[in-house]
Amino acid sequence: MQTQVPFTISAIKSLDITRLGTFQECLRAPVHRWFKYPAGFSYRLVEMLINEFRLRQSHWILDPFVGSGTVSVVAKQKDVNSIGMEAHPFVHWVARVKCFWEFDIKRLHCKLGELLTYVSCPSSAELQQQDLTEFPELLHKCFSEQNLQKLKFIRESIKSFDLLPEERDLFLLALVDTLRTATKAGAGWPYIAPSKYHEKQERDAIVVFSETANMFYHDLVGIHNKWRPVQVTCDLLLHDARQPYPLNEASVDLVITSPPYLNNYDYADRTRLELYFLGWAKTWQDIIRQIREKLITSSTTQVRRFESNEEPLSNELRELATSVYKELKTKITQLSYIRHSKNGRKSYDLMVAGYFNDMLQVLKQVYRVLKPKAPFVLVLGDSAPYGVHIPTDIYLGEIAVSLGFQRYTIQTLRKRGEKWRSNSQRHQVPLKEVLIVLNK
Ligand SMILES: C[S@@+](CC[C@H](N)C(=O)[O-])C[C@H]1O[C@@H](n2cnc3c(N)ncnc32)[C@H](O)[C@@H]1O
């Protein structure tokens, strides 16, 4: 494996790069902050790459794992065409709402005022009328009865108010973003922990909603002051990144993405609070069926174990990237061995195999739609399930080269997993987050 060469993007040298792979900078940035998605990366990374590659109105950017839409928001701000794909319906909806700015701002101001006046002081009869039995237990554990009544009252008011569909979605997103701020549960990511131990001070849902909706409105006013609508496309598709892309061959100038890391993070599970509150899912089975099955394999909860002797890595991977295949096979055998010694608890072996089988399909799709010589930039972390190091960056780089990409370069952004160091149950393998640049 020798195709790795030194990193070349010039702008990155002058920046603080430790936060580029994280959502931290988005938490204060207009529009990006409308939903706190910890799986997201920094908007500054996208700005930097658009500048570096001098993209303009005639160019196209693709993000096949667009998440909450960071790439699409920046592309739209900078007048570059973009296509974002996301397979999680709720996260896709968040991205769509964040990318619609073509409001009549005066009308929006009036509607927001009317809505906030209406929801500000519900009578106790109005609150009592809210039937809370529709909500699964999680919601009852996260909010007091009165706060949950208020949340439902606001949700129903948004639904019944005379609003345009985009206005309704905007206010609903403000309400969804209210949930984790208002709750008494430890609702930070990745875990929602409605236990006494993590409990915090509950905040009044109406007050938090009002602050959040006003913040959204002011962000939009800021955009309208600076941004002028131009004829650029900002498409957001509910699409599985492993499936054929509805794009022409050699049509994309830059791909920026951050695929799920191989770190056992279950995206379907982590959005339970929002899905249940919106009524998009009623049971855990709904979440598995509607969401988990559509996502690439990156957690053991997605793996179904059939006792067969079938080789977990695909034949396609074996034929295409033999050396990566061999290394992976050794590590997968090691993981399977450790699994048996731990009472068969975590199927990390199948998770790792599934991940690379899936990512091969993604790399093939991206290769097809990229223009010759165009760059494909990935933000990615490596992993060490059961302490077995899986250098995802090198493996994906090598697989890409075997597909026809000319070369790959890797730049470390930061070390990861430091906060778990003191946990004796956890492995001590140093992990990192990197930027991989592939050139077609
Ligand atoms: C690391 S996050 C990307 C976050 C994004 N960069 C942002 O700033 O919000 C990876 C995303 O990939 C999505 N995903 C997982 N499997 C997918 C698939 N098969 N097709 C498309 N998206 C998928 C997940 O739901 C998740 O939102």
Side-chain angles (χ1 to χ4, degrees), residues 160-194:
S160 61
F161 244 61
D162 173 27
L163 297 168
L164 295 171
E166 292 82 11
E167 293 165 343
R168 182 163 293 123
D169 278 342
L170 184 78
F171 298 146
L172 263 184
L173 182 58
L175 183 59
V176 165
D177 194 51
T178 297
L179 297 176
R180 285 179 196 250
T181 312
T183 177
K184 62 186 164 120
W189 299 75
Y191 302 106
I192 305 163

PDB file of all heavy atoms in Angstrom, residues 160-194:
ATOM      1  N   SER A 160     -52.137  23.859  12.830  1.00  0.00           N
ATOM      2  CA  SER A 160     -53.463  24.383  12.454  1.00  0.00           C
ATOM      3  C   SER A 160     -53.422  25.848  12.000  1.00  0.00           C
ATOM      4  O   SER A 160     -54.385  26.341  11.429  1.00  0.00           O
ATOM      5  CB  SER A 160     -54.423  24.242  13.638  1.00  0.00           C
ATOM      6  OG  SER A 160     -53.919  25.000  14.707  1.00  0.00           O
ATOM      7  N   PHE A 161     -52.326  26.534  12.227  1.00  0.00           N
ATOM      8  CA  PHE A 161     -52.239  27.942  11.819  1.00  0.00           C
ATOM      9  C   PHE A 161     -52.252  28.079  10.307  1.00  0.00           C
ATOM     10  O   PHE A 161     -51.858  27.168   9.581  1.00  0.00           O
ATOM     11  CB  PHE A 161     -50.926  28.528  12.354  1.00  0.00           C
ATOM     12  CG  PHE A 161     -51.128  29.618  13.357  1.00  0.00           C
ATOM     13  CD1 PHE A 161     -51.788  29.376  14.550  1.00  0.00           C
ATOM     14  CD2 PHE A 161     -50.655  30.907  13.114  1.00  0.00           C
ATOM     15  CE1 PHE A 161     -51.969  30.378  15.481  1.00  0.00           C
ATOM     16  CE2 PHE A 161     -50.831  31.917  14.034  1.00  0.00           C
ATOM     17  CZ  PHE A 161     -51.495  31.653  15.218  1.00  0.00           C
ATOM     18  N   ASP A 162     -52.686  29.254   9.838  1.00  0.00           N
ATOM     19  CA  ASP A 162     -52.712  29.512   8.402  1.00  0.00           C
ATOM     20  C   ASP A 162     -51.283  29.887   7.952  1.00  0.00           C
ATOM     21  O   ASP A 162     -50.874  31.040   8.037  1.00  0.00           O
ATOM     22  CB  ASP A 162     -53.694  30.670   8.140  1.00  0.00           C
ATOM     23  CG  ASP A 162     -53.654  31.105   6.695  1.00  0.00           C
ATOM     24  OD1 ASP A 162     -53.315  30.268   5.836  1.00  0.00           O
ATOM     25  OD2 ASP A 162     -53.950  32.299   6.433  1.00  0.00           O
ATOM     26  N   LEU A 163     -50.533  28.888   7.512  1.00  0.00           N
ATOM     27  CA  LEU A 163     -49.121  29.107   7.146  1.00  0.00           C
ATOM     28  C   LEU A 163     -48.822  28.469   5.796  1.00  0.00           C
ATOM     29  O   LEU A 163     -49.469  27.480   5.418  1.00  0.00           O
ATOM     30  CB  LEU A 163     -48.201  28.447   8.189  1.00  0.00           C
ATOM     31  CG  LEU A 163     -48.261  28.962   9.625  1.00  0.00           C
ATOM     32  CD1 LEU A 163     -47.515  28.010  10.562  1.00  0.00           C
ATOM     33  CD2 LEU A 163     -47.670  30.367   9.714  1.00  0.00           C
ATOM     34  N   LEU A 164     -47.819  28.992   5.126  1.00  0.00           N
ATOM     35  CA  LEU A 164     -47.322  28.316   3.921  1.00  0.00           C
ATOM     36  C   LEU A 164     -46.528  27.088   4.383  1.00  0.00           C
ATOM     37  O   LEU A 164     -45.990  27.086   5.502  1.00  0.00           O
ATOM     38  CB  LEU A 164     -46.393  29.255   3.131  1.00  0.00           C
ATOM     39  CG  LEU A 164     -47.069  30.496   2.555  1.00  0.00           C
ATOM     40  CD1 LEU A 164     -46.020  31.455   1.984  1.00  0.00           C
ATOM     41  CD2 LEU A 164     -48.067  30.095   1.476  1.00  0.00           C
ATOM     42  N   PRO A 165     -46.402  26.056   3.524  1.00  0.00           N
ATOM     43  CA  PRO A 165     -45.695  24.847   3.969  1.00  0.00           C
ATOM     44  C   PRO A 165     -44.286  25.133   4.483  1.00  0.00           C
ATOM     45  O   PRO A 165     -43.853  24.562   5.483  1.00  0.00           O
ATOM     46  CB  PRO A 165     -45.639  23.980   2.698  1.00  0.00           C
ATOM     47  CG  PRO A 165     -46.720  24.489   1.821  1.00  0.00           C
ATOM     48  CD  PRO A 165     -46.957  25.927   2.163  1.00  0.00           C
ATOM     49  N   GLU A 166     -43.571  26.064   3.841  1.00  0.00           N
ATOM     50  CA  GLU A 166     -42.186  26.351   4.267  1.00  0.00           C
ATOM     51  C   GLU A 166     -42.161  27.047   5.622  1.00  0.00           C
ATOM     52  O   GLU A 166     -41.253  26.835   6.426  1.00  0.00           O
ATOM     53  CB  GLU A 166     -41.462  27.239   3.244  1.00  0.00           C
ATOM     54  CG  GLU A 166     -41.172  26.580   1.916  1.00  0.00           C
ATOM     55  CD  GLU A 166     -42.353  26.590   0.970  1.00  0.00           C
ATOM     56  OE1 GLU A 166     -43.361  27.293   1.263  1.00  0.00           O
ATOM     57  OE2 GLU A 166     -42.286  25.893  -0.066  1.00  0.00           O
ATOM     58  N   GLU A 167     -43.175  27.902   5.858  1.00  0.00           N
ATOM     59  CA  GLU A 167     -43.248  28.582   7.164  1.00  0.00           C
ATOM     60  C   GLU A 167     -43.532  27.551   8.258  1.00  0.00           C
ATOM     61  O   GLU A 167     -42.943  27.581   9.337  1.00  0.00           O
ATOM     62  CB  GLU A 167     -44.357  29.641   7.140  1.00  0.00           C
ATOM     63  CG  GLU A 167     -44.053  30.791   6.193  1.00  0.00           C
ATOM     64  CD  GLU A 167     -45.282  31.654   5.879  1.00  0.00           C
ATOM     65  OE1 GLU A 167     -46.427  31.198   6.112  1.00  0.00           O
ATOM     66  OE2 GLU A 167     -45.098  32.755   5.365  1.00  0.00           O
ATOM     67  N   ARG A 168     -44.429  26.630   7.936  1.00  0.00           N
ATOM     68  CA  ARG A 168     -44.786  25.591   8.926  1.00  0.00           C
ATOM     69  C   ARG A 168     -43.546  24.758   9.272  1.00  0.00           C
ATOM     70  O   ARG A 168     -43.263  24.505  10.451  1.00  0.00           O
ATOM     71  CB  ARG A 168     -45.896  24.719   8.339  1.00  0.00           C
ATOM     72  CG  ARG A 168     -46.374  23.660   9.279  1.00  0.00           C
ATOM     73  CD  ARG A 168     -47.711  23.088   8.873  1.00  0.00           C
ATOM     74  NE  ARG A 168     -48.762  24.080   9.006  1.00  0.00           N
ATOM     75  CZ  ARG A 168     -49.569  24.487   8.030  1.00  0.00           C
ATOM     76  NH1 ARG A 168     -49.471  23.953   6.845  1.00  0.00           N
ATOM     77  NH2 ARG A 168     -50.473  25.417   8.238  1.00  0.00           N
ATOM     78  N   ASP A 169     -42.811  24.361   8.239  1.00  0.00           N
ATOM     79  CA  ASP A 169     -41.603  23.559   8.483  1.00  0.00           C
ATOM     80  C   ASP A 169     -40.584  24.330   9.320  1.00  0.00           C
ATOM     81  O   ASP A 169     -39.932  23.765  10.201  1.00  0.00           O
ATOM     82  CB  ASP A 169     -40.959  23.155   7.144  1.00  0.00           C
ATOM     83  CG  ASP A 169     -41.651  21.929   6.548  1.00  0.00           C
ATOM     84  OD1 ASP A 169     -42.358  21.226   7.287  1.00  0.00           O
ATOM     85  OD2 ASP A 169     -41.473  21.687   5.336  1.00  0.00           O
ATOM     86  N   LEU A 170     -40.442  25.605   9.026  1.00  0.00           N
ATOM     87  CA  LEU A 170     -39.472  26.423   9.775  1.00  0.00           C
ATOM     88  C   LEU A 170     -39.833  26.444  11.270  1.00  0.00           C
ATOM     89  O   LEU A 170     -38.985  26.206  12.132  1.00  0.00           O
ATOM     90  CB  LEU A 170     -39.452  27.850   9.214  1.00  0.00           C
ATOM     91  CG  LEU A 170     -38.418  28.771   9.837  1.00  0.00           C
ATOM     92  CD1 LEU A 170     -37.029  28.488   9.266  1.00  0.00           C
ATOM     93  CD2 LEU A 170     -38.778  30.243   9.607  1.00  0.00           C
ATOM     94  N   PHE A 171     -41.100  26.700  11.555  1.00  0.00           N
ATOM     95  CA  PHE A 171     -41.523  26.768  12.962  1.00  0.00           C
ATOM     96  C   PHE A 171     -41.440  25.388  13.628  1.00  0.00           C
ATOM     97  O   PHE A 171     -41.103  25.281  14.811  1.00  0.00           O
ATOM     98  CB  PHE A 171     -42.928  27.357  13.086  1.00  0.00           C
ATOM     99  CG  PHE A 171     -43.033  28.785  12.583  1.00  0.00           C
ATOM    100  CD1 PHE A 171     -44.182  29.253  11.959  1.00  0.00           C
ATOM    101  CD2 PHE A 171     -41.967  29.670  12.730  1.00  0.00           C
ATOM    102  CE1 PHE A 171     -44.269  30.570  11.500  1.00  0.00           C
ATOM    103  CE2 PHE A 171     -42.044  30.986  12.277  1.00  0.00           C
ATOM    104  CZ  PHE A 171     -43.196  31.435  11.657  1.00  0.00           C
ATOM    105  N   LEU A 172     -41.751  24.358  12.850  1.00  0.00           N
ATOM    106  CA  LEU A 172     -41.653  23.006  13.425  1.00  0.00           C
ATOM    107  C   LEU A 172     -40.207  22.670  13.772  1.00  0.00           C
ATOM    108  O   LEU A 172     -39.928  22.061  14.804  1.00  0.00           O
ATOM    109  CB  LEU A 172     -42.163  21.967  12.423  1.00  0.00           C
ATOM    110  CG  LEU A 172     -43.609  21.496  12.565  1.00  0.00           C
ATOM    111  CD1 LEU A 172     -43.902  20.394  11.560  1.00  0.00           C
ATOM    112  CD2 LEU A 172     -43.931  21.011  13.980  1.00  0.00           C
ATOM    113  N   LEU A 173     -39.279  23.087  12.904  1.00  0.00           N
ATOM    114  CA  LEU A 173     -37.861  22.816  13.208  1.00  0.00           C
ATOM    115  C   LEU A 173     -37.445  23.583  14.462  1.00  0.00           C
ATOM    116  O   LEU A 173     -36.697  23.069  15.305  1.00  0.00           O
ATOM    117  CB  LEU A 173     -36.959  23.173  12.012  1.00  0.00           C
ATOM    118  CG  LEU A 173     -35.470  22.889  12.223  1.00  0.00           C
ATOM    119  CD1 LEU A 173     -35.196  21.414  12.548  1.00  0.00           C
ATOM    120  CD2 LEU A 173     -34.640  23.281  10.997  1.00  0.00           C
ATOM    121  N   ALA A 174     -37.954  24.816  14.603  1.00  0.00           N
ATOM    122  CA  ALA A 174     -37.636  25.581  15.823  1.00  0.00           C
ATOM    123  C   ALA A 174     -38.166  24.836  17.054  1.00  0.00           C
ATOM    124  O   ALA A 174     -37.522  24.804  18.106  1.00  0.00           O
ATOM    125  CB  ALA A 174     -38.243  26.979  15.740  1.00  0.00           C
ATOM    126  N   LEU A 175     -39.312  24.202  16.895  1.00  0.00           N
ATOM    127  CA  LEU A 175     -39.868  23.450  18.025  1.00  0.00           C
ATOM    128  C   LEU A 175     -39.052  22.186  18.294  1.00  0.00           C
ATOM    129  O   LEU A 175     -38.788  21.846  19.454  1.00  0.00           O
ATOM    130  CB  LEU A 175     -41.334  23.102  17.727  1.00  0.00           C
ATOM    131  CG  LEU A 175     -42.082  22.378  18.836  1.00  0.00           C
ATOM    132  CD1 LEU A 175     -42.111  23.190  20.136  1.00  0.00           C
ATOM    133  CD2 LEU A 175     -43.518  22.051  18.407  1.00  0.00           C
ATOM    134  N   VAL A 176     -38.641  21.529  17.229  1.00  0.00           N
ATOM    135  CA  VAL A 176     -37.823  20.322  17.400  1.00  0.00           C
ATOM    136  C   VAL A 176     -36.496  20.676  18.069  1.00  0.00           C
ATOM    137  O   VAL A 176     -36.008  19.970  18.950  1.00  0.00           O
ATOM    138  CB  VAL A 176     -37.593  19.641  16.026  1.00  0.00           C
ATOM    139  CG1 VAL A 176     -36.482  18.616  16.100  1.00  0.00           C
ATOM    140  CG2 VAL A 176     -38.878  18.972  15.562  1.00  0.00           C
ATOM    141  N   ASP A 177     -35.933  21.813  17.684  1.00  0.00           N
ATOM    142  CA  ASP A 177     -34.667  22.235  18.291  1.00  0.00           C
ATOM    143  C   ASP A 177     -34.859  22.644  19.759  1.00  0.00           C
ATOM    144  O   ASP A 177     -33.899  22.691  20.526  1.00  0.00           O
ATOM    145  CB  ASP A 177     -34.069  23.391  17.479  1.00  0.00           C
ATOM    146  CG  ASP A 177     -32.613  23.625  17.856  1.00  0.00           C
ATOM    147  OD1 ASP A 177     -31.840  22.650  17.862  1.00  0.00           O
ATOM    148  OD2 ASP A 177     -32.256  24.770  18.192  1.00  0.00           O
ATOM    149  N   THR A 178     -36.096  22.934  20.112  1.00  0.00           N
ATOM    150  CA  THR A 178     -36.423  23.289  21.499  1.00  0.00           C
ATOM    151  C   THR A 178     -36.282  22.088  22.440  1.00  0.00           C
ATOM    152  O   THR A 178     -35.939  22.230  23.618  1.00  0.00           O
ATOM    153  CB  THR A 178     -37.893  23.812  21.546  1.00  0.00           C
ATOM    154  OG1 THR A 178     -37.967  25.002  20.758  1.00  0.00           O
ATOM    155  CG2 THR A 178     -38.359  24.090  22.957  1.00  0.00           C
ATOM    156  N   LEU A 179     -36.540  20.884  21.886  1.00  0.00           N
ATOM    157  CA  LEU A 179     -36.666  19.700  22.744  1.00  0.00           C
ATOM    158  C   LEU A 179     -35.457  19.484  23.651  1.00  0.00           C
ATOM    159  O   LEU A 179     -35.585  19.344  24.855  1.00  0.00           O
ATOM    160  CB  LEU A 179     -36.888  18.435  21.893  1.00  0.00           C
ATOM    161  CG  LEU A 179     -38.166  18.381  21.043  1.00  0.00           C
ATOM    162  CD1 LEU A 179     -38.180  17.114  20.191  1.00  0.00           C
ATOM    163  CD2 LEU A 179     -39.400  18.426  21.937  1.00  0.00           C
ATOM    164  N   ARG A 180     -34.266  19.453  23.048  1.00  0.00           N
ATOM    165  CA  ARG A 180     -33.078  19.101  23.852  1.00  0.00           C
ATOM    166  C   ARG A 180     -32.625  20.237  24.765  1.00  0.00           C
ATOM    167  O   ARG A 180     -31.887  20.018  25.713  1.00  0.00           O
ATOM    168  CB  ARG A 180     -31.940  18.641  22.943  1.00  0.00           C
ATOM    169  CG  ARG A 180     -32.199  17.241  22.408  1.00  0.00           C
ATOM    170  CD  ARG A 180     -31.130  16.727  21.485  1.00  0.00           C
ATOM    171  NE  ARG A 180     -31.609  15.600  20.736  1.00  0.00           N
ATOM    172  CZ  ARG A 180     -31.189  14.331  20.913  1.00  0.00           C
ATOM    173  NH1 ARG A 180     -30.247  14.059  21.773  1.00  0.00           N
ATOM    174  NH2 ARG A 180     -31.711  13.360  20.194  1.00  0.00           N
ATOM    175  N   THR A 181     -33.062  21.475  24.450  1.00  0.00           N
ATOM    176  CA  THR A 181     -32.731  22.592  25.341  1.00  0.00           C
ATOM    177  C   THR A 181     -33.682  22.600  26.529  1.00  0.00           C
ATOM    178  O   THR A 181     -33.275  22.884  27.658  1.00  0.00           O
ATOM    179  CB  THR A 181     -32.870  23.936  24.580  1.00  0.00           C
ATOM    180  OG1 THR A 181     -32.194  23.810  23.341  1.00  0.00           O
ATOM    181  CG2 THR A 181     -32.291  25.089  25.367  1.00  0.00           C
ATOM    182  N   ALA A 182     -34.942  22.280  26.292  1.00  0.00           N
ATOM    183  CA  ALA A 182     -35.939  22.398  27.357  1.00  0.00           C
ATOM    184  C   ALA A 182     -35.962  21.198  28.300  1.00  0.00           C
ATOM    185  O   ALA A 182     -36.316  21.335  29.457  1.00  0.00           O
ATOM    186  CB  ALA A 182     -37.324  22.584  26.738  1.00  0.00           C
ATOM    187  N   THR A 183     -35.565  20.037  27.806  1.00  0.00           N
ATOM    188  CA  THR A 183     -35.752  18.806  28.606  1.00  0.00           C
ATOM    189  C   THR A 183     -34.988  18.808  29.928  1.00  0.00           C
ATOM    190  O   THR A 183     -33.949  19.451  30.056  1.00  0.00           O
ATOM    191  CB  THR A 183     -35.322  17.565  27.796  1.00  0.00           C
ATOM    192  OG1 THR A 183     -35.468  16.425  28.633  1.00  0.00           O
ATOM    193  CG2 THR A 183     -33.877  17.630  27.356  1.00  0.00           C
ATOM    194  N   LYS A 184     -35.515  18.028  30.861  1.00  0.00           N
ATOM    195  CA  LYS A 184     -34.811  17.848  32.135  1.00  0.00           C
ATOM    196  C   LYS A 184     -33.849  16.668  32.047  1.00  0.00           C
ATOM    197  O   LYS A 184     -33.063  16.422  32.954  1.00  0.00           O
ATOM    198  CB  LYS A 184     -35.805  17.637  33.272  1.00  0.00           C
ATOM    199  CG  LYS A 184     -36.683  16.394  33.130  1.00  0.00           C
ATOM    200  CD  LYS A 184     -37.727  16.344  34.233  1.00  0.00           C
ATOM    201  CE  LYS A 184     -38.822  15.353  33.892  1.00  0.00           C
ATOM    202  NZ  LYS A 184     -39.033  14.286  34.763  1.00  0.00           N
ATOM    203  N   ALA A 185     -33.939  15.897  30.968  1.00  0.00           N
ATOM    204  CA  ALA A 185     -33.073  14.718  30.841  1.00  0.00           C
ATOM    205  C   ALA A 185     -31.698  15.121  30.320  1.00  0.00           C
ATOM    206  O   ALA A 185     -31.548  16.169  29.703  1.00  0.00           O
ATOM    207  CB  ALA A 185     -33.706  13.721  29.873  1.00  0.00           C
ATOM    208  N   GLY A 186     -30.731  14.285  30.579  1.00  0.00           N
ATOM    209  CA  GLY A 186     -29.412  14.511  29.989  1.00  0.00           C
ATOM    210  C   GLY A 186     -29.517  14.193  28.515  1.00  0.00           C
ATOM    211  O   GLY A 186     -29.324  13.057  28.105  1.00  0.00           O
ATOM    212  N   ALA A 187     -29.879  15.201  27.721  1.00  0.00           N
ATOM    213  CA  ALA A 187     -30.210  14.915  26.319  1.00  0.00           C
ATOM    214  C   ALA A 187     -29.090  15.315  25.382  1.00  0.00           C
ATOM    215  O   ALA A 187     -29.306  15.515  24.203  1.00  0.00           O
ATOM    216  CB  ALA A 187     -31.496  15.622  25.935  1.00  0.00           C
ATOM    217  N   GLY A 188     -27.881  15.429  25.933  1.00  0.00           N
ATOM    218  CA  GLY A 188     -26.758  15.700  25.039  1.00  0.00           C
ATOM    219  C   GLY A 188     -26.537  14.487  24.165  1.00  0.00           C
ATOM    220  O   GLY A 188     -27.112  13.420  24.420  1.00  0.00           O
ATOM    221  N   TRP A 189     -25.745  14.640  23.122  1.00  0.00           N
ATOM    222  CA  TRP A 189     -25.494  13.502  22.254  1.00  0.00           C
ATOM    223  C   TRP A 189     -24.295  12.744  22.776  1.00  0.00           C
ATOM    224  O   TRP A 189     -23.481  13.322  23.447  1.00  0.00           O
ATOM    225  CB  TRP A 189     -25.217  13.990  20.835  1.00  0.00           C
ATOM    226  CG  TRP A 189     -26.340  14.732  20.254  1.00  0.00           C
ATOM    227  CD1 TRP A 189     -26.703  16.000  20.575  1.00  0.00           C
ATOM    228  CD2 TRP A 189     -27.256  14.287  19.253  1.00  0.00           C
ATOM    229  NE1 TRP A 189     -27.779  16.373  19.842  1.00  0.00           N
ATOM    230  CE2 TRP A 189     -28.138  15.340  19.006  1.00  0.00           C
ATOM    231  CE3 TRP A 189     -27.396  13.094  18.523  1.00  0.00           C
ATOM    232  CZ2 TRP A 189     -29.164  15.252  18.080  1.00  0.00           C
ATOM    233  CZ3 TRP A 189     -28.408  13.020  17.600  1.00  0.00           C
ATOM    234  CH2 TRP A 189     -29.283  14.090  17.392  1.00  0.00           C
ATOM    235  N   PRO A 190     -24.063  11.516  22.444  1.00  0.00           N
ATOM    236  CA  PRO A 190     -24.962  10.721  21.631  1.00  0.00           C
ATOM    237  C   PRO A 190     -26.131  10.134  22.411  1.00  0.00           C
ATOM    238  O   PRO A 190     -27.064   9.641  21.803  1.00  0.00           O
ATOM    239  CB  PRO A 190     -24.068   9.590  21.126  1.00  0.00           C
ATOM    240  CG  PRO A 190     -23.005   9.452  22.145  1.00  0.00           C
ATOM    241  CD  PRO A 190     -22.807  10.813  22.742  1.00  0.00           C
ATOM    242  N   TYR A 191     -26.093  10.179  23.753  1.00  0.00           N
ATOM    243  CA  TYR A 191     -27.146   9.463  24.474  1.00  0.00           C
ATOM    244  C   TYR A 191     -28.203  10.385  25.018  1.00  0.00           C
ATOM    245  O   TYR A 191     -27.903  11.456  25.515  1.00  0.00           O
ATOM    246  CB  TYR A 191     -26.542   8.663  25.631  1.00  0.00           C
ATOM    247  CG  TYR A 191     -25.524   7.690  25.153  1.00  0.00           C
ATOM    248  CD1 TYR A 191     -24.174   7.925  25.349  1.00  0.00           C
ATOM    249  CD2 TYR A 191     -25.916   6.559  24.447  1.00  0.00           C
ATOM    250  CE1 TYR A 191     -23.224   7.044  24.863  1.00  0.00           C
ATOM    251  CE2 TYR A 191     -24.975   5.677  23.962  1.00  0.00           C
ATOM    252  CZ  TYR A 191     -23.633   5.916  24.177  1.00  0.00           C
ATOM    253  OH  TYR A 191     -22.705   5.052  23.685  1.00  0.00           O
ATOM    254  N   ILE A 192     -29.453   9.928  24.962  1.00  0.00           N
ATOM    255  CA  ILE A 192     -30.511  10.605  25.693  1.00  0.00           C
ATOM    256  C   ILE A 192     -30.639   9.770  26.968  1.00  0.00           C
ATOM    257  O   ILE A 192     -30.886   8.575  26.889  1.00  0.00           O
ATOM    258  CB  ILE A 192     -31.844  10.549  24.933  1.00  0.00           C
ATOM    259  CG1 ILE A 192     -31.664  11.100  23.532  1.00  0.00           C
ATOM    260  CG2 ILE A 192     -32.917  11.316  25.677  1.00  0.00           C
ATOM    261  CD1 ILE A 192     -32.788  10.707  22.603  1.00  0.00           C
ATOM    262  N   ALA A 193     -30.394  10.386  28.091  1.00  0.00           N
ATOM    263  CA  ALA A 193     -30.345   9.600  29.310  1.00  0.00           C
ATOM    264  C   ALA A 193     -31.352  10.116  30.329  1.00  0.00           C
ATOM    265  O   ALA A 193     -31.011  10.929  31.180  1.00  0.00           O
ATOM    266  CB  ALA A 193     -28.937   9.650  29.897  1.00  0.00           C
ATOM    267  N   PRO A 194     -32.597   9.687  30.202  1.00  0.00           N
ATOM    268  CA  PRO A 194     -33.591  10.193  31.149  1.00  0.00           C
ATOM    269  C   PRO A 194     -33.458   9.512  32.509  1.00  0.00           C
ATOM    270  O   PRO A 194     -34.330   8.791  32.936  1.00  0.00           O
ATOM    271  CB  PRO A 194     -34.931   9.875  30.480  1.00  0.00           C
ATOM    272  CG  PRO A 194     -34.648   8.864  29.440  1.00  0.00           C
ATOM    273  CD  PRO A 194     -33.171   8.735  29.256  1.00  0.00           C
TER     274      PRO A 194
END
